[in-house]
Amino acid sequence: SDGSNSAGKDFLKTIGKHYKEDIRSTKMRYEGTVYRPPSEARSLIIQVTIGCSHNTCTFCTMYKDKKFRIRSKEEIFMDLDEMSSAYGELPLRIFLADGDALVLKTRDLLDILSFIRVKFPFCERVTAYATARDILRKTDEELQALKKEGLSMVYVGAESGDPVILAHVKKDVTVEEMIQAADKLKKCGIQLSLTLISGLGGKERLREHALESARLVSAMKPEYLGFLTLMLEKGAPILEEIQAGQLTLLSPDAVMEEMKLFLTHVDSDGTVFRANHASNYLALKGTLNGDIPAMLAQVEEAEKKQKYKSERYRML
């Protein structure tokens, strides 16, 4: 995930050339720091929840300053109504924040999606973060209804396919649940954008993280796959393990070793692959499985020349 505490301004700046309204005249009610996936950088971001209902992952600090709650439909409709008065005729995209919009009752989500269709008739797509358990709690009929009403894709943070790592970072999900959730989404026509985090198992479980993640992706076959590289902010619980010497962060060379293991074992033909996030030491992109040889060659070239993104630029 990308962090952005100026999501509304980012959106308005992007499309503001179409209108004369001053950015400061908007009254969007954002609470706390707003996060969104990299591919939603130019989307209109609407908070339907505040924070994350899970919020125990040891590597994450995204929602630690928020107490989870579901916003009222009245609040959400007010935001959508206000933005539609200026931008309702644009072919924009809408992202439902914060951490897991699918935790809402299906009837409430359907009402929100229906309101979006009325207020933004040219909306290209509506997306949201979700957890595997959010998805599994919905019936096939509920997911199909959400798809029909406009929910086209969800982002799921798998982080790793290694059960040991998942338990250790308190992800509170099993590999089997993630595979079941992916199967359910495919059956209902909702696309899946999956995220993994390179280095999450440290040096101690580098091989297991790479191989088990490759097996997970091969089983889930998501439409999109994003590979981030572990970056830790102050306050992340996992830092205590690193400081105690229980977990060793990967060097850039070790990250490349992990990536090569993943790419040589994954089988997910047609999955759009991206490892070009700000956190990545090396920008990679392609489509599995056809572009794997070219991406492996790119990794090997970077290793040979020791040409990696500096830590300074990874922090931007």
Side-chain angles (χ1 to χ4, degrees), residues 248-261:
T248 309
L249 290 176
L250 299 189
S251 66
D253 279 337
V255 170
M256 295 304 112
E257 179 186 348
E258 188 180 74
M259 181 59 72
K260 286 192 295 185
L261 276 171

Side-chain angles (χ1 to χ4, degrees), residues 32-212:
T33 303
V34 178
Y35 296 90
R36 45 78 180 162
S39 58
E40 303 293 340
R42 297 185 177 181
S43 298
L44 169 58
I45 301 176
I46 300 292
Q47 285 178 302
V48 298
T49 71
I50 303 302
C52 173
S53 62
H54 179 56
N55 208 24
T56 62
C57 297
T58 63
F59 57 86
C60 179
T61 60
M62 284 169 54
Y63 305 109
K64 301 303 184 189
D65 62 340
K66 299 181 182 182
K67 183 177 180 180
F68 177 77
R69 72 178 178 89
I70 295 173
R71 295 183 76 201
S72 69
K73 283 191 289 186
E74 289 73 20
E75 288 180 285
I76 297 166
F77 290 169
M78 285 173 65
D79 282 346
L80 289 167
D81 188 53
E82 179 185 354
M83 297 304 286
S84 72
S85 65
Y87 311 113
E89 299 300 312
L90 287 181
L92 51 75
R93 296 178 174 184
I94 294 177
F95 176 72
L96 304 179
D98 269 337
D100 49 354
L102 257 67
V103 76
L104 271 69
K105 293 179 180 178
T106 300
R107 182 67 263 168
D108 291 338
L109 276 173
L110 288 171
D111 288 345
I112 292 166
L113 291 168
S114 178
F115 195 80
I116 287 172
R117 286 204 300 117
V118 171
K119 292 293 181 176
F120 298 88
F122 302 103
C123 179
E124 294 180 340
R125 74 179 190 188
V126 181
T127 57
Y129 282 133
T131 69
R133 289 186 175 176
D134 287 338
I135 295 163
L136 293 175
R137 276 191 287 266
K138 305 287 187 191
T139 66
D140 288 353
E141 291 74 21
E142 287 176 307
L143 290 173
Q144 288 164 359
L146 290 171
K147 165 65 176 177
K148 183 178 180 180
E149 203 62 39
L151 183 67
S152 56
M153 182 171 72
V154 295
Y155 297 87
V156 174
E159 326 309 2
S160 178
D162 181 3
V164 174
I165 293 175
L166 290 174
H168 191 72
V169 301
K170 299 183 179 180
K171 188 66 183 175
D172 194 28
V173 69
T174 67
V175 170
E176 291 74 21
E177 286 172 327
M178 288 193 283
I179 294 171
Q180 290 169 12
D183 289 343
K184 198 164 190 174
L185 289 174
K186 285 185 185 300
K187 182 179 180 181
C188 299
I190 297 174
Q191 291 188 319
L192 170 62
S193 181
L194 195 71
T195 303
L196 297 171
I197 302 177
S198 182
L200 189 59
K203 183 178 179 180
E204 292 76 8
R205 294 195 69 81
L206 181 155
R207 184 173 180 82
E208 291 84 354
H209 180 43
L211 296 180
E212 295 302 327

